[in-house]
Amino acid sequence: LPPVIRYVQDVEFDPLVYKAGMGAADELAKIILTGSFTERGQAAREFDLQIRQQTGVAKAPYVAELVRMLLESGEKVILWGWHLMVYDIWKDRLRDYRPVLFTGEQSAVAKERAKADFIEGRSDLLIMSLRSGEGTNGLQDVCSVGVFGEMDWTPAVHHQCIGRLARDGQEASVQIFFPVAPVGSDPVMASILGLKQAQADGIMDLGVSQGAGDVAVDDSRIKQLAVEYLKSRGVPLPAKKSEEIVV
């Protein structure tokens, strides 16, 4: 197969939109660092959901502009994401390219219709859930460009998404873009996924050997996310159990 070329692209980010949707995130972050086992678990799930969604929403218009540039160059594009609010922004800003959706919100029939529209030329943009599309084939016949508008904690999920394009029948070099925001959940996720170093090395360990199913929120990852969030807000780390807050 032709090589897979990966780009880690810094994108702009709307801090006002991000801040407006974070609600009680400060308190959740503190609970993650100092609460009881039960409190930490609940807070971690809520915090992870909130910060990842708001990161996606705050960078969504800028991700859409990156995708627009690729579309205007004549490419068909698969755009991967996770949150419904993010999909809505992408659909609105890229409506000229007749986007179709292949996510958990669509029925099996609707997904097949979206796939057919994309492959047969009625749409140039397929918005696809990070965890949808198992067993999907044929996309590689018409598309070689993918954009991870949102990321997943599990590297194997990225590997499987890329595999929708980098597979038998693909004749072009597959180009994969990772638009990364400067704040929010993106910097920590990019670091844990090794995106920057992988790009510098020319390779990327996408966790082929790992399962891509649903996994529990990793406590150390969310703790690191909480620490970086509080630092970015200028909020002092809670003193309780401070010796344990090392990431």
Side-chain angles (χ1 to χ4, degrees), residues 37 40-46 48-49 52 82 131 152-155 157 189 192 210-223 225:
F37 177 80
R40 291 200 308 270
Q42 180 64 30
R45 288 187 289 273
E46 293 181 18
D48 182 56
L49 173 64
R52 288 176 61 196
W82 186 246
R131 296 188 176 228
D152 195 284
W153 283 114
T154 307
V157 170
M189 295 185 77
I192 288 173
Q210 302 179 37
D214 290 331
V215 295
V217 176
D218 186 294
D219 183 66
S220 64
R221 293 176 178 179
I222 302 303
K223 184 178 289 187
L225 197 57

Side-chain angles (χ1 to χ4, degrees), residues 11 52 56 90 119 203 216 246:
V11 293
R52 288 176 61 196
W90 291 343
I119 292 175
I203 60 173
V246 178

Side-chain angles (χ1 to χ4, degrees), residues 29-102:
K30 292 176 183 177
I31 292 171
I32 290 168
L33 299 177
T34 64
S36 67
F37 177 80
T38 302
E39 291 171 336
R40 291 200 308 270
Q42 180 64 30
R45 288 187 289 273
E46 293 181 18
F47 181 75
D48 182 56
L49 173 64
Q50 191 172 37
I51 193 170
R52 288 176 61 196
Q53 176 173 281
Q54 283 310 118
T55 300
V57 169
K59 72 175 183 177
Y62 307 101
V63 171
E65 287 308 304
L66 170 63
V67 173
R68 179 182 296 278
M69 286 192 294
L70 295 169
L71 290 165
E72 288 179 350
S73 72
E75 298 287 353
K76 293 172 75 74
V77 177
I78 296 179
L79 174 57
W80 288 290
W82 186 246
H83 293 100
L84 298 180
M85 291 175 65
V86 177
Y87 297 153
D88 287 343
I89 296 170
W90 291 343
K91 285 191 300 180
D92 180 59
R93 289 183 171 260
L94 297 167
R95 58 185 177 275
D96 294 345
Y97 296 92
R98 307 175 302 281
V100 290
L101 272 73
F102 192 118

Side-chain angles (χ1 to χ4, degrees), residues 14 18 57 68 71 91 94 123-124 166 168 175 198 207 211-212 240:
D14 190 327
Y18 175 67
V57 169
R68 179 182 296 278
L71 290 165
K91 285 191 300 180
L94 297 167
S123 172
D124 293 323
D168 290 344
Q175 299 182 72
K240 183 181 178 181

